[in-house]
Amino acid sequence: MSILKRKKEEESTEQKIITAARKLFTQKGFDAVKTRDIAEEAGINLALLNYYFRSKEKLFEIIMGESLETFFLGFSNIVNDEKTTYTKKIEQIVSNYIDMLLKSPDTPLFVMNQVRANPKRIEAKKIFMNSYFMKQLQAGIKTGEIAPMNVVNLMLNIVSLSIFPFIGRPIFQAGEGSITDEQFIELMMERKKMIPKWIEATLKVK
Amino acid sequence: MSILKRKKEEESTEQKIITAARKLFTQKGFDAVKTRDIAEEAGINLALLNYYFRSKEKLFEIIMGESLETFFLGFSNIVNDEKTTYTKKIEQIVSNYIDMLLKSPDTPLFVMNQVRANPKRIEAKKIFMNSYFMKQLQAGIKTGEIAPMNVVNLMLNIVSLSIFPFIGRPIFQAGEGSITDEQFIELMMERKKMIPKWIEATLKVK
DNA sequence: GTCTATATACGGATAGAC
DNA sequence: GTCTATCCGTATATAGAC
């Protein structure tokens, strides 16, 4: 049996624990998850969890770090690219978030909860306010191409339209006669196309 | 001393516990809150909590019920009023949510977490799909006054723009050079005026 | 109704055999 | 590296005095 084959079939114990922890922590948050649950989900023994990662907290920090990265890294790269127009950047931000969230739908609620519980240095606003994107928008307002508006509100609009549906998803999908997972994905694909157009329209509103 | 005066000065013990529980549960969620914290916050003894509300869970259910009501009740009333135009309804939904959230900013995150952890019969989608508002929108699409679009996406846009800023607030306000509470409120007041206009603009997008 | 003291269970972490 | 058994602090809940 080749080494590659083994790697695919037999995830390392360490990796199995990480995978289980990611699933449970992002779904339920730190306090609601028991280390015993993680061990069971990973198919290993509780003692092994402490053998690999000294404590529940250490393990949590690893998962949190991953999530913050997925949540902010792509954004930061897009928004500082000096070669793209602001219109293109809007498309990229929306597309980036929707693609990411279709893969990791629990990330935003997880991150929001954690940031509120433990307000660390996130500096999302700083990243945005100092970005090249920001300069392009202000230039657009100066030339009159964009109606005068608070750029923070513009940014809020872009992320709200992209992210909120994933946060509210449990509500739309609760109860009978709700949309299926396939319908939800379809809806999000339509949003990926439409949000940039909707945002464009708001740029003309006085 | 009049009865009214007494009521104002001396909140009943039961009420003190509810108030403390509301504050802590909405801020941190069920698992992160200890009954001892609630007792301390309420300025009473731990045993009293169990004397009035048999258990932590019973107490939580009361708070959760309150929150669900504030979150959905106003919405349901607005959306089924047969005397207002759809334009007016959009204004009212936005205004209603922003006013409510300025008073209870922790509600959405609390409700979203809870619904995901324990998907009960919320039927938000049903309320919307069967509403008079819905009929008005479809009529508008038929006459061409509104560009053809998925009405679920329209609804998502209205609530996303109104609610998300409150969910993401910890992120914008984390770190240095962030906006103050006053600036945040000002921003939301501007959104209250502008969101209906922005939504109007999206209704013309093909 | 309100308190102090306590029963009981649970969850995180470790000891020690294999 | 992986397991079983167990320790120990903490959290919910109750008993019983006042």
Side-chain angles (χ1 to χ4, degrees):
Chain A
M1 192 193 289
S2 80
I3 291 173
L4 275 172
K5 188 106 185 281
R6 275 194 77 225
K7 269 192 181 167
K8 261 207 162 168
E9 281 174 4
E10 301 166 27
E11 210 181 5
S12 75
T13 301
E14 199 174 345
Q15 201 52 50
K16 274 192 282 190
I17 297 173
I18 293 254
T19 304
R22 183 186 302 119
K23 177 177 168 186
L24 293 176
F25 278 140
T26 53
Q27 267 177 23
K28 314 204 212 184
F30 183 82
D31 292 285
V33 171
K34 291 164 250 179
T35 48
R36 283 172 169 81
D37 297 341
I38 299 176
E40 191 185 353
E41 174 78 28
I44 52 102
N45 185 277
L46 168 61
L48 270 184
L49 190 149
N50 288 297
Y51 173 76
Y52 281 103
F53 312 88
R54 244 172 60 78
S55 72
K56 184 186 179 185
E57 285 204 337
K58 294 272 181 204
L59 184 50
F60 181 79
E61 279 166 26
I62 291 170
I63 306 299
M64 193 65 227
E66 281 183 6
S67 292
L68 288 176
E69 207 173 298
T70 30
F71 209 75
F72 292 112
L73 198 64
F75 178 76
S76 167
N77 291 337
I78 291 168
V79 99
N80 284 310
D81 185 341
E82 304 206 356
K83 295 193 210 75
T84 54
T85 62
Y86 73 80
T87 308
K88 186 69 186 171
K89 284 190 180 65
I90 294 172
E91 279 173 30
Q92 287 177 330
I93 294 170
V94 172
S95 183
N96 183 56
Y97 269 122
I98 291 187
D99 286 343
M100 186 264 277
L101 292 170
L102 283 171
K103 278 188 216 121
S104 319
D106 289 320
T107 308
L109 209 46
F110 178 59
V111 170
M112 303 300 162
N113 280 321
Q114 180 55 19
V115 173
R116 188 184 49 174
N118 196 350
K120 293 238 175 79
R121 312 224 151 284
I122 302 291
E123 321 243 325
K125 204 203 158 206
K126 209 172 183 179
I127 293 174
F128 167 62
M129 293 305 269
N130 297 337
S131 70
Y132 188 71
F133 183 43
M134 176 72 179
K135 291 187 186 70
Q136 289 176 302
L137 292 174
Q138 284 171 328
I141 291 175
K142 215 164 203 170
T143 65
E145 192 183 334
I146 300 175
M149 78 186 292
N150 190 320
V151 285
V152 175
N153 267 332
L154 169 56
M155 192 62 228
L156 276 176
N157 292 349
I158 298 171
V159 296
S160 296
L161 292 173
S162 305
I163 299 177
F164 184 81
F166 290 88
I167 295 180
R169 182 175 185 174
I171 287 182
F172 320 127
Q173 291 205 329
E176 316 187 27
S178 307
I179 56 177
T180 62
D181 285 355
E182 288 74 29
Q183 286 172 316
F184 182 82
I185 293 172
E186 205 179 326
L187 216 50
M188 293 309 115
M189 296 312 282
E190 190 185 338
R191 291 184 75 77
K192 197 162 122 178
K193 277 206 316 260
M194 295 305 294
I195 291 173
K197 294 183 185 179
W198 292 329
I199 292 287
E200 284 283 320
T202 69
L203 296 182
K204 308 300 174 200
V205 175
K206 280 184 283 292
Chain B
M1 191 195 288
S2 78
I3 291 175
L4 274 173
K5 189 103 182 285
R6 274 195 79 223
K7 268 193 182 168
K8 261 205 162 170
E9 279 175 6
E10 301 167 27
E11 209 180 5
S12 75
T13 301
E14 198 173 346
Q15 201 53 51
K16 274 193 283 190
I17 298 173
I18 293 255
T19 305
R22 183 186 303 118
K23 177 178 168 187
L24 293 177
F25 278 143
T26 52
Q27 268 176 24
K28 313 201 209 188
F30 183 82
D31 293 284
V33 172
K34 291 164 251 180
T35 49
R36 281 173 169 83
D37 299 341
I38 299 176
E40 192 185 354
E41 174 78 26
I44 53 101
N45 186 277
L46 169 60
L48 271 182
L49 191 149
N50 288 295
Y51 173 77
Y52 282 104
F53 312 88
R54 243 174 60 79
S55 72
K56 183 185 178 185
E57 284 206 338
K58 295 272 181 205
L59 184 51
F60 181 80
E61 279 166 26
I62 291 170
I63 306 298
M64 192 65 228
E66 280 184 8
S67 292
L68 287 176
E69 208 173 297
T70 31
F71 209 76
F72 292 112
L73 198 65
F75 179 77
S76 167
N77 291 336
I78 291 167
V79 100
N80 283 310
D81 185 343
E82 303 206 356
K83 293 192 212 75
T84 54
T85 61
Y86 74 80
T87 308
K88 186 72 184 166
K89 285 190 180 64
I90 293 173
E91 279 172 30
Q92 287 177 331
I93 294 170
V94 172
S95 183
N96 184 57
Y97 269 122
I98 291 187
D99 287 343
M100 185 265 276
L101 292 171
L102 282 172
K103 277 188 215 120
S104 319
D106 289 321
T107 308
L109 209 45
F110 178 59
V111 170
M112 302 300 161
N113 279 321
Q114 181 54 19
V115 173
R116 189 185 47 175
N118 196 350
K120 293 238 174 76
R121 312 225 151 285
I122 302 290
E123 319 242 328
K125 205 204 157 202
K126 208 172 182 178
I127 292 174
F128 167 63
M129 293 307 267
N130 298 336
S131 70
Y132 188 70
F133 183 43
M134 177 70 180
K135 291 187 186 68
Q136 289 176 301
L137 291 174
Q138 284 172 329
I141 291 175
K142 215 163 202 168
T143 65
E145 192 183 335
I146 300 175
M149 78 186 292
N150 190 319
V151 285
V152 175
N153 267 332
L154 170 55
M155 192 63 228
L156 276 176
N157 291 349
I158 298 171
V159 296
S160 297
L161 292 174
S162 305
I163 298 176
F164 184 80
F166 290 87
I167 295 180
R169 183 174 184 175
I171 287 182
F172 319 128
Q173 292 205 327
E176 315 184 29
S178 306
I179 56 177
T180 64
D181 286 356
E182 289 73 29
Q183 286 173 317
F184 182 81
I185 293 171
E186 204 180 326
L187 216 50
M188 293 309 116
M189 297 313 281
E190 191 186 336
R191 292 184 74 79
K192 196 163 124 180
K193 278 205 318 262
M194 294 306 294
I195 291 173
K197 294 183 186 180
W198 291 329
I199 292 289
E200 283 284 320
T202 68
L203 296 182
K204 308 300 174 200
V205 174
K206 280 183 284 293

